[in-house]
Amino acid sequence: QALQINAHNLEARLRERLQPLRLTVIDESHQHAGHIGANDSGFGTHFRVRIASPLFAGKTRVACHRLVYDAVQPLMAIGLHALAIEILHAP
């Protein structure tokens, strides 16, 4: 079975790779209908991620974003078009 792009799989990948203390994944694809990278289904292309991870300690915001992008690269390769990342402070 091929890897699917949905909020659940994106969340699972981030949990596996970044061990987040806080994580919210929101599929915002329906808000991008007709935009480049959108598909006709209205889901699976545009996501917002709010995340706090101990792996971010001492890193710049850019470095934190790179960790997130590296974690989800396999999903980017199969159609994840846009990822809005909000780095949160650990609780």
Side-chain angles (χ1 to χ4, degrees), residues 59-69 87:
K59 292 188 173 40
T60 65
R61 186 172 57 131
V62 171
C64 294
H65 281 226
R66 177 53 48 208
L67 287 173
V68 173
Y69 280 117
I87 301 300

Side-chain angles (χ1 to χ4, degrees), residues 25-59:
V25 176
I26 304 162
D27 189 340
E28 296 181 338
S29 302
H30 65 283
Q31 298 173 357
H32 298 274
H35 295 182
I36 293 174
N39 60 30
D40 293 333
S41 71
F43 64 90
T45 59
H46 294 72
F47 290 87
R48 177 171 303 276
V49 171
R50 296 180 179 124
I51 184 169
S53 170
L55 300 178
F56 298 161
K59 292 188 173 40

